[in-house]
Amino acid sequence: MDTDVPGSSGPELKEYTALLRRRRRLVCAGVLGGLVLATAGALAVPSTYTSVASVQVHPTEMAEFTGERSGRLTGDVNLDSEAQIVVSDRVTGTAAEELPGSATSEDVRENVDVTVPPNSNILELRYSARTPELARAGAGSLAEAYLEQREVQVHALIEGRLEALRAEQQDRYDDLAELTGENQMVAGTDARAEALRQEITDLGNGITPLSALRETVSPGQVITPASLPESPSSPLLALWIVAGTALGLLAGLLAAVVRDRMDPRLRDTEETERIGSLPVLLDLSVPGDRSGRSPGLLDDTTPTGQRANEFAHLVRARLAETDDGEDRSAALAATEGGEPAPGRVIVVTGTTPGRAGTAAAVNLAAALARGGSDTLLVCADPRTETVHELLGLSEGPGLADVLIDGEDPAELAVHPAHTPRLRVLRHGTAGTVAPLQGGAAELVELLRSRAEFVVVATASAGERADVHALAASADLLLPVVELGLSPRSDLTGLVTAGTRFGVTVPGAITVPRQPGPGPVPMPRVPVPPAPRRPSETRAAHADDLSRGSALPTSGGAASVGSRR
């Protein structure tokens, strides 16, 4: 398959932004839903109040017995151990007894959070509860219970040490009494007695400071009493809103991606290029009015009409590139023989039934004619209302008469009033269907000699196989994508058909969503004959003239005429 620009191998940034534009309602719904749910959840969750009490932990001056210098800080107290003591059963149980109600140590432990500020000997005790009063009472009771437990622990340690020293001192007194009472005349007893007296003195020197320490030791103090919280610590409405919005956005984006991947329809030009692996040569997807009947017949006075002209020049250049030596020889031979050079056949088909393919074909043919080329528009779609609407034509004989009765297309072609150098071969009288599939190759050869460019507007491939019948003999195949409605599979099917039939598919045309199609007329002739060749047609026409038969005429603003 020939294309001007290969499609991208995968999604790019612009395709993701296009996805956001297509699915913006879904993304906005996700954000709004997350915001609503977060707000409702924040209002539904019971409020929790937190009170903080700060306790400064004092060293016991007994580091050699307590190991207080081995903590994670370079201080006199191991605050890691103290934090664990705060949440111990003994401390939390004591605090629970001071709280109103029937709180247990486990309840207190679940509501406590102990933190240590860096480089300090401070414990921050946070207690959370349903009411400000209970939070303050919990933090205060916990601080008092901890200090009470630490004081009991320190006093017990000092008392234990004092008892040990006093017992040892008493033992030395007993030894000294026994030594001096029983061995007064034994040599060496004075030295032994003197040693015992020195030990007694040393033990006394240890007992005296411990006794003083027992009276003066301070386990710590509350430096910031628990205060009454003025506002709940949770839930934080702002935090819930931010989190809900973020989660809603994430859910909306995920839903948008999933919905977009599951959507079988083509939504924009970027997706058309990616799915079809071919460029969009003409984008007419900006709606012109609320009726949805866009595009209309374009002219040189609008930017969209200028884009159509650019597209016509691109088609001319693309067809010139596809000319090979055999085509040039045939054209030269035809010119030398006095006959017009064979024209180029462009098949334009929609990927959906209805107006899209015909409207694009009409504007392509009109743009080619405005550029100075003799152009013949062939209406192969049985739905004729679009051509009549855009070009102001009425019902009349056309393609069906060529295929069924062998009429000369040049004599049945009509000239629209406002588009010079454009001739239109209508589909046929009302209620007829042109049987293209019975003689498509002969029809293409017949039409080539009638104009420089022959634009054939066919029914969609999903309705009829006319485009497949014409593809093998055509020069270009242009699929028309109706954004928001055309299935992806239909576009890829047309591109695949172009490859199989050997016809060039240079790109696609995109149009906005169109009104629903009308019914397809039922054919009156089941099996028509194949179209006659030009020589046979002229001979039959001469016979008709000799018998006095009249030529068909057109109605409305159009006039009958041949190419010349």
Side-chain angles (χ1 to χ4, degrees):
M1 178 188 67
D2 293 331
T3 57
D4 291 319
V5 181
S8 59
S9 58
E12 297 179 354
L13 179 60
K14 64 178 182 179
E15 296 177 19
Y16 287 117
T17 57
L19 184 150
L20 291 179
R21 290 195 302 270
R22 290 194 303 270
R23 306 296 178 185
R24 59 183 179 276
R25 294 183 180 178
L26 194 58
V27 175
C28 291
V31 173
L32 183 60
L35 181 61
V36 171
L37 291 177
T39 303
L43 297 177
V45 172
S47 298
T48 300
Y49 296 85
T50 301
S51 182
V52 182
S54 298
V55 177
Q56 183 180 23
V57 183
H58 294 165
T60 61
E61 305 297 337
M62 296 182 63
E64 65 275 14
F65 304 115
T66 62
E68 289 177 337
R69 295 185 182 275
S70 61
R72 65 181 179 90
L73 298 177
T74 316
D76 295 329
V77 182
N78 187 341
L79 294 183
D80 288 335
S81 299
E82 298 303 318
Q84 295 301 317
I85 293 174
V86 172
V87 295
S88 64
D89 288 338
R90 182 173 298 178
V91 175
T92 55
T94 303
E97 294 176 358
E98 301 296 328
L99 295 178
S102 57
T104 64
S105 61
E106 186 65 26
D107 297 333
V108 174
R109 188 181 298 111
E110 291 178 356
N111 295 323
V112 171
D113 181 33
V114 183
T115 58
V116 179
N119 301 322
S120 69
N121 61 344
I122 306 297
L123 292 178
E124 291 186 348
L125 311 182
R126 289 178 169 82
Y127 189 83
S128 301
R130 298 300 182 194
T131 63
E133 294 77 10
L134 187 58
R136 180 176 62 178
S141 300
L142 191 66
E144 296 298 333
Y146 165 70
L147 291 177
E148 180 181 344
Q149 168 61 27
R150 180 168 172 78
E151 184 177 12
V152 170
Q153 180 184 7
V154 172
H155 283 185
L157 183 63
I158 295 175
E159 288 294 340
R161 183 59 181 167
L162 284 174
E163 291 180 2
L165 291 176
R166 288 168 178 166
E168 188 175 356
Q169 187 183 46
Q170 185 61 43
D171 291 341
R172 297 298 181 272
Y173 274 122
D174 294 341
D175 291 343
L176 180 60
E178 181 180 355
L179 180 64
T180 57
E182 297 180 357
N183 302 307
Q184 294 181 355
M185 303 304 293
V186 179
T189 56
D190 292 341
R192 174 60 178 162
E194 187 61 30
L196 289 174
R197 291 188 186 94
Q198 184 61 43
E199 290 181 10
I200 292 172
T201 302
D202 294 339
L203 290 173
N205 293 335
I207 293 173
T208 301
L210 282 178
S211 299
L213 179 62
R214 180 183 57 183
E215 302 299 330
T216 61
V217 66
S218 173
Q221 62 178 346
V222 177
I223 58 175
T224 304
S227 59
L228 190 68
E230 296 181 356
S231 60
S233 58
S234 67
L236 297 177
L237 184 59
L239 181 61
W240 276 61
I241 289 177
V242 172
T245 303
L247 291 177
L249 176 62
L250 182 61
L253 291 174
L254 181 60
V257 172
V258 173
R259 180 69 180 88
D260 199 72
R261 291 295 179 261
M262 295 179 63
D263 190 354
R265 295 170 293 181
L266 295 168
R267 294 289 179 175
D268 53 36
T269 57
E270 290 84 0
E271 189 177 21
T272 300
E273 292 179 343
R274 179 172 61 87
I275 298 298
S277 296
L278 76 173
V280 173
L281 303 179
L282 178 61
D283 181 18
L284 302 175
S285 59
V286 180
D289 52 45
R290 294 184 179 180
S291 66
R293 307 191 72 82
S294 174
L297 182 61
L298 306 176
D299 54 35
D300 293 335
T301 61
T302 63
T304 309
Q306 290 299 322
R307 289 204 304 269
N309 292 342
E310 294 174 7
F311 176 52
H313 294 310
L314 177 62
V315 169
R316 287 191 186 92
R318 196 69 178 88
L319 288 172
E321 292 176 0
T322 58
D323 281 339
D324 53 21
E326 185 177 348
D327 293 334
R328 294 191 184 95
S329 299
L332 181 60
T335 303
E336 292 176 352
E339 295 185 1
R344 310 311 297 268
V345 178
I346 305 167
V347 176
V348 181
T349 183
T351 52
T352 52
R355 188 178 186 275
T358 304
V362 168
N363 280 288
L364 172 59
L368 289 170
R370 288 196 299 270
S373 300
D374 185 17
T375 307
L376 175 63
L377 173 64
V378 180
C379 304
D381 190 346
R383 295 186 178 91
T384 59
E385 61 273 6
T386 301
V387 174
H388 299 160
E389 168 204 339
L390 296 179
L391 298 177
L393 302 178
S394 61
E395 296 283 354
L399 181 62
D401 300 271
V402 173
L403 293 174
I404 297 174
D405 299 329
E407 298 289 344
D408 187 354
E411 297 179 354
L412 299 182
V414 297
H415 292 278
H418 304 292
T419 311
R421 303 189 66 83
L422 174 64
R423 291 173 295 130
V424 180
L425 182 62
R426 295 169 292 191
H427 189 79
T429 55
T432 61
V433 176
L436 281 171
Q437 300 177 41
E442 292 83 357
L443 175 65
V444 171
E445 291 303 317
L446 181 64
L447 296 176
R448 284 187 185 276
S449 62
R450 298 303 191 265
E452 183 180 354
F453 291 101
V454 179
V455 180
V456 184
T458 69
S460 67
E463 287 185 300
R464 299 171 60 85
D466 295 345
V467 63
H468 300 86
L470 293 168
S473 305
D475 298 297
L476 290 183
L477 174 61
L478 293 172
V480 180
V481 174
E482 188 175 349
L483 297 181
L485 193 61
S486 294
R488 298 179 178 183
S489 57
D490 286 4
L491 175 61
T492 56
L494 279 175
V495 175
T496 303
T499 303
R500 292 174 178 174
F501 285 102
V503 60
T504 301
V505 184
I509 304 172
T510 56
V511 299
R513 191 164 184 164
Q514 303 294 306
V520 179
M522 296 300 295
R524 296 182 301 181
V525 182
V527 183
R532 303 179 186 179
R533 296 192 177 277
S535 59
E536 298 175 359
T537 302
R538 287 192 293 270
H541 185 57
D543 292 341
D544 292 339
L545 288 177
S546 64
R547 291 193 296 269
S549 61
L551 292 174
T553 59
S554 62
S559 62
V560 179
S562 64
R563 177 183 176 188
R564 292 178 293 275

